[in-house]
Amino acid sequence: LVGGRFGQEPFLPSEQRLAEYYQASRHTIRRIIEKLLFDGMLIRNANRRLQINPDQLERVRAGIRSSGPVSLAFAYAAYPDSLISDVTAGLRQYATEHEIKLQIITSPSGHEPMIRSLENVSAFGINGIFILPYFMNEYVNVINRLIASDVAVLTLSALPGADCGSICSDDFSGAFMAVSRLIAKYDRPVYFWGARDETSTTQSIYNAWCQAMMEAGFDQEIPFYRSSYDACGTNPELWSMENKIEHPTLLARNFLKKLKFPVSIFAINDYVAQGIYRAAEKLKLRIGSDIMISGFGDLPMASRLNPPLTSVRSSRTQIGYRAAQTLHQMITGELTTPVHLRIPMELVERASS
């Protein structure tokens, strides 16, 4: 009721419908209704239909709002980069506007310290937390334990098995747009290049590449144009900025040596695309003629590369802002069910494609 689930309806549904919605017995629903009638939250009209008492509802909501200061946190096991910085800025903006305390929990040295920190979130006085997740059972388990202890949880990309909502860019649509544009512009298949198993984000991007290839009639080429390598998401030794660039560069040289030019390449992120640039330079290949390439993420370096890199841009600050807003709504009871929000992306075309 506090979350507004029935706010647009003049009367509450029947006991039977409520029992079906909440997967409870009618006896349980009836007892809850009797308690809410006694507390004044519900009123019964002359036709015995149930309505919400707006005055009592507002008193309850006011009590929730004044129950104490709200504290949010952003947790990530990674080296800070442009994504982390922009998301943090969005979180901080909302927190400042609503006088909410914001804490940062980070672990650049591995996942174990992060899991231990998440297990002790209550000790930090945190009401809601936004987590950068990885495809690891440890994250799923600790997130579900947090939810069970009444901590509001959102993840930056969906995590299968976790009973929480997520907020991130619409990665599938963004990647599909970039790959489809390369196919349409040069009338040839597009190579996929990058790691595929780190998070649900990389899986969405890969699936979008497959979809674009299939819709263009290149479904039979997919096995031959799929060039990927093992993800380093769970290996802290490969998290540093140097390795985000050097690791793909070393692999890209061997990848490019096998190709017949000109080619079109879709890189799973801008770091990987920069690796293609560096490998191409060593092999005397030209970006924008021998290699037409699109990245993903539109990091600040994309416009400074030579030639500037086509990339897919997301509003990372908006992701942080909406995450803080959604967590706040969950804490105050205005939002009671998990949501999976996707922020639209745009393709920024430059000379690389």
Side-chain angles (χ1 to χ4, degrees):
L1 298 177
V2 173
R5 169 64 182 82
F6 307 106
Q8 304 302 318
E9 303 175 22
F11 301 101
L12 259 64
S14 66
E15 289 182 2
Q16 181 61 39
R17 284 183 57 198
L18 288 169
E20 292 172 355
Y21 180 81
Y22 289 106
Q23 297 183 335
S25 68
R26 289 187 63 177
H27 176 70
T28 299
I29 295 296
R30 190 175 296 118
R31 284 193 295 107
I32 293 172
I33 289 174
E34 290 173 356
K35 179 68 167 59
L36 291 171
L37 285 167
F38 180 81
D39 292 341
M41 181 66 82
L42 295 180
I43 54 178
R44 200 186 294 273
N45 70 1
N47 295 323
R48 299 191 60 76
R49 299 292 300 276
L50 292 170
Q51 294 176 288
I52 299 173
N53 182 344
D55 295 333
Q56 180 67 5
L57 178 63
E58 181 53 36
R59 282 193 288 271
V60 172
R61 284 176 170 166
I64 293 173
R65 289 193 293 267
S66 62
S67 60
V70 174
S71 179
L72 303 180
F74 182 27
Y76 56 89
Y79 274 87
D81 58 11
S82 179
L83 169 65
I84 297 295
S85 176
D86 290 347
V87 169
T88 301
L91 288 161
R92 185 176 292 111
Q93 179 183 346
Y94 184 90
T96 300
E97 291 175 0
H98 295 81
E99 298 182 347
I100 292 172
K101 182 180 180 180
L102 178 65
Q103 302 182 55
I104 305 297
I105 303 173
T106 182
S107 171
S109 59
H111 295 287
E112 289 186 11
M114 174 55 63
I115 297 300
R116 288 196 299 270
S117 296
L118 293 175
E119 289 173 343
N120 293 283
V121 156
S122 298
F124 305 141
I126 293 169
N127 309 108
I129 188 165
F130 191 38
I131 300 174
L132 174 64
Y134 289 82
F135 276 177
M136 298 170 62
N137 288 332
E138 292 85 349
Y139 278 90
V140 174
N141 294 336
V142 75
I143 286 171
N144 288 338
R145 286 196 295 271
L146 286 172
I147 295 169
S149 64
D150 292 328
V151 176
V153 180
L154 281 175
T155 54
L156 180 56
S157 79
L159 180 63
D163 300 327
C164 65
S166 63
I167 297 183
C168 62
S169 303
D170 188 358
D171 302 312
F172 184 97
S173 296
F176 182 85
M177 182 167 41
V179 176
S180 297
R181 176 60 176 158
L182 283 171
I183 292 173
K185 193 170 183 179
Y186 299 105
D187 193 27
R188 64 192 180 211
V190 174
Y191 282 95
F192 175 92
W193 177 242
R196 286 204 296 117
D197 300 319
E198 188 173 348
T199 65
S200 61
T201 296
T202 58
Q203 193 61 47
S204 293
I205 294 171
Y206 172 74
N207 290 340
W209 171 77
C210 289
Q211 186 69 27
M213 290 281 282
M214 287 190 292
E215 291 193 8
F218 295 130
D219 52 299
Q220 294 184 358
E221 282 81 0
I222 287 177
F224 307 103
Y225 281 74
R226 177 179 56 226
S227 300
S228 57
Y229 51 87
D230 292 337
C232 61
T234 58
N235 183 359
E237 293 180 0
L238 296 177
W239 287 356
S240 67
M241 289 297 103
E242 294 82 359
N243 278 310
K244 281 187 177 181
I245 298 171
E246 293 303 326
H247 185 59
T249 299
L250 294 173
L251 297 170
R253 289 186 66 183
N254 292 329
F255 166 59
L256 293 179
K257 287 177 180 179
K258 302 174 183 178
L259 305 184
K260 294 182 179 180
F261 301 94
V263 297
S264 299
I265 298 174
F266 173 69
I268 200 167
N269 60 50
D270 289 351
Y271 293 118
V272 171
Q274 188 177 27
I276 292 287
Y277 270 66
R278 292 186 175 186
E281 183 179 9
K282 294 179 183 298
L283 296 173
K284 309 300 182 184
L285 296 169
R286 295 168 298 171
I287 301 293
S289 55
D290 298 316
I291 300 171
M292 313 305 291
I293 184 170
S294 174
F296 191 91
D298 199 37
L299 296 176
M301 67 174 169
S303 62
R304 298 187 179 95
L305 290 172
N306 185 23
L309 172 67
T310 292
S311 192
V312 183
R313 175 186 296 167
S314 67
S315 179
R316 297 183 289 263
T317 302
Q318 186 182 4
I319 291 172
Y321 189 92
R322 294 300 299 273
Q325 181 184 51
T326 302
L327 285 170
H328 195 196
Q329 291 173 327
M330 293 167 66
I331 293 166
T332 59
E334 297 176 46
L335 186 63
T336 56
T337 56
V339 296
H340 296 279
L341 181 64
R342 300 294 174 262
I343 307 298
M345 306 187 77
E346 65 172 314
L347 178 64
V348 183
E349 294 193 76
R350 302 187 178 101
S352 70
S353 65

